[in-house]
Amino acid sequence: MRILHTSDWHIGRTFHGSSTMDALAEVLAALTEQVRENAVDVVVVAGDVFDSATPAGAAYTLLGDALVALHDTGATVIVTSGNHDSAARLGFQARLLRDGIHVLTDPLAIGEPVTVNDADGPVRFFGIPYLEPAIVRQHWADTELRTQAQTLAHAMDIVRQGMQENPGRSVAIAHCFAAGVDATIGLEREVRQGGLDVVPLAVFDGPDYVALGHIHGRQQISGRVRYSGAPLHYSFGEQNKPRGSWLVDLDATGLSSVEWLDLPIPRPLVTLTGTLEEILSDENVAAHADHWVCAVYTDALAQTEPMRRLRERYPHCAMVQHQPTETAEAVERSYVDRLRGAVTDPQRIEAFLEHVRSGQGATEREGELIREVLDDRVRAEALI
């Protein structure tokens, strides 16, 4: 049996204020073509289908179109909910979907597999929706469920019981932080408290393959436990991470092979670092004018209207940061220390300018103006 493992579509997410709907539709169309070309039997979507618990109408339309297109390839589609999804909203349409599309959002149905048969017999797919301990512990009052780790461990116990009751090869689907993952800082919404909610690898013992979601970059926790990551780049922190999905083959005895399938990147991301003039150079513009751009300019002083100037040459500049590289030793001193050492008014002004300008004091022309203003003040006070 051939399985395509994808996750974290985040339908409806914006990228620095810009819609990603068209780009995601393009990528999901490419994914659908890969399903057809590789004769995939089952497509697994491991959570965070939507980016919000209250998605807009257009997000439902895109999801419906994608599921129907995948189903039309002849593949069975199995979807679980993630921490961004509302299980109720994602699952309400499950009964309305055509045969061969399964949306699994009910925690009480974890032990009831979706069964897909091939020439070697049945394959059991156990979908674990995102489980918030405070919400689902009511279902298992006799079990201590305070953390994600405890809750996933209990869910996998239910899966293993389901495997005993339903013999055959098996695939588990979950949405969590697993031990050993490399998260994208500031992107994957926390589903843990401190280190308690990191799920140990041993929790996933049993199934032939475990399809995980939540981490946006592909990760291999073990040969049979993997994250596929998101199909789009949703942060500049992800810009060097490939986008795609895992193509998983099961033979008669279990996991046979896993292959990575790259997806197209509609608009690449790039971070450009240097002085503002260097970033705006013809060479950079020629190479990156059509990219999403994060500009990190290193000029000693903050520049006037940097975003406006950048967007004149980079229409898709999404972020600008000022990170000066040359910092005078005076910057290391506190503002209070500077003022204590200042005796005259010009010295106090110079201390202030060094503080707000990362160590750069007044220019020669500014010094002349400061002296003129102070001299005018002295003359005015002398006439009082």
Side-chain angles (χ1 to χ4, degrees):
M1 180 170 292
R2 179 159 282 183
I3 302 162
L4 188 90
H5 168 198
T6 179
S7 72
D8 295 274
W9 292 359
H10 287 279
I11 301 174
R13 192 182 188 99
T14 59
F15 183 78
H16 294 275
S18 297
S19 172
T20 62
M21 296 284 277
D22 290 344
L24 183 57
E26 177 184 338
V27 171
L28 293 181
L31 183 144
T32 300
E33 191 57 33
Q34 289 177 343
V35 168
R36 180 176 289 106
E37 291 174 353
N38 290 280
V40 170
D41 300 297
V42 179
V43 177
V44 168
V45 187
D48 278 357
V49 177
F50 292 126
D51 187 61
S52 166
T54 56
Y60 284 103
T61 300
L62 178 54
L63 175 61
D65 290 345
L67 294 181
V68 169
L70 288 169
H71 181 266
D72 286 348
T73 67
T76 297
V77 184
I78 301 175
V79 180
T80 61
S81 53
N83 59 299
H84 279 250
D85 299 309
S86 162
R89 286 188 172 88
L90 183 60
F92 89 95
Q93 56 188 344
R95 293 184 180 181
L96 306 177
L97 294 172
R98 63 187 66 187
D99 231 16
I101 302 178
H102 305 268
V103 179
L104 309 180
T105 62
D106 183 0
L108 295 180
I110 289 171
E112 302 171 12
V114 173
T115 299
V116 182
N117 292 284
D118 66 4
D120 296 312
V123 177
R124 317 291 188 179
F125 291 84
F126 294 89
I128 304 175
Y130 171 67
L131 302 174
E132 177 62 48
I135 295 175
V136 301
R137 67 168 63 107
Q138 61 177 316
H139 300 308
W140 303 295
D142 296 334
T143 305
E144 183 181 16
L145 302 178
R146 294 183 296 105
T147 68
Q148 275 286 304
Q150 292 172 331
T151 306
L152 260 294
H154 181 65
M156 283 301 300
D157 286 341
I158 296 173
V159 167
R160 283 184 283 269
Q161 182 179 344
M163 290 168 58
Q164 290 181 356
E165 296 171 356
N166 301 273
R169 295 158 293 166
S170 58
V171 174
I173 311 161
H175 195 88
C176 65
F177 272 109
V181 301
D182 177 22
T184 304
I185 296 174
L187 184 63
E188 289 103 0
R189 186 179 297 168
E190 287 286 350
V191 290
R192 58 179 174 175
Q193 297 174 356
L196 295 177
D197 284 0
V198 177
V199 181
L201 178 60
V203 164
F204 300 109
D205 287 350
D208 295 292
Y209 184 77
V210 180
L212 296 179
H214 186 57
I215 301 301
H216 285 199
R218 71 176 182 188
Q219 308 257 345
Q220 179 178 335
I221 310 304
S222 75
R224 60 180 191 83
V225 182
R226 300 172 187 246
Y227 288 92
S228 64
L232 278 183
H233 289 120
Y234 289 115
S235 163
F236 282 103
E238 299 180 313
Q239 66 188 52
N240 296 318
K241 296 180 179 179
R243 303 289 87 171
S245 53
W246 292 112
L247 188 65
V248 181
D249 281 316
L250 302 181
D251 60 18
T253 61
L255 184 62
S256 172
S257 66
V258 183
E259 176 188 353
W260 177 255
L261 296 181
D262 281 308
L263 282 169
I265 298 172
R267 190 180 303 286
L269 281 65
V270 65
T271 298
L272 301 178
T273 302
T275 66
L276 190 59
E277 291 306 315
E278 289 171 345
I279 292 173
L280 292 170
S281 69
D282 291 341
E283 182 181 2
N284 270 330
V285 172
H288 305 295
D290 292 329
H291 293 187
W292 287 116
V293 172
C294 171
V296 181
Y297 72 93
T298 58
D299 302 70
L301 301 180
Q303 300 297 294
T304 303
E305 297 185 304
M307 180 60 87
R308 179 189 62 76
R309 294 170 62 187
L310 285 161
R311 285 188 170 168
E312 287 176 352
R313 310 213 69 189
Y314 301 100
H316 307 288
C317 183
M319 179 184 294
V320 59
Q321 298 176 349
H322 181 213
Q323 294 182 8
T325 55
E326 296 182 4
T327 304
E329 291 182 6
V331 172
E332 298 178 5
R333 300 167 52 202
S334 72
Y335 184 39
V336 172
D337 290 338
R338 292 194 190 95
L339 286 180
R340 284 174 180 166
V343 178
T344 65
D345 285 343
Q347 289 174 338
R348 295 187 184 97
I349 295 172
E350 183 73 5
F352 172 76
L353 291 175
E354 289 178 352
H355 175 65
V356 300
R357 290 178 168 180
S358 301
Q360 298 295 313
T363 64
E364 183 177 350
R365 177 55 182 155
E366 288 171 340
E368 294 174 357
L369 291 173
I370 290 168
R371 286 190 293 273
E372 289 177 10
V373 170
L374 292 176
D375 289 344
D376 288 344
R377 191 194 69 177
V378 169
R379 285 192 292 271
E381 290 176 347
L383 296 175
I384 294 176

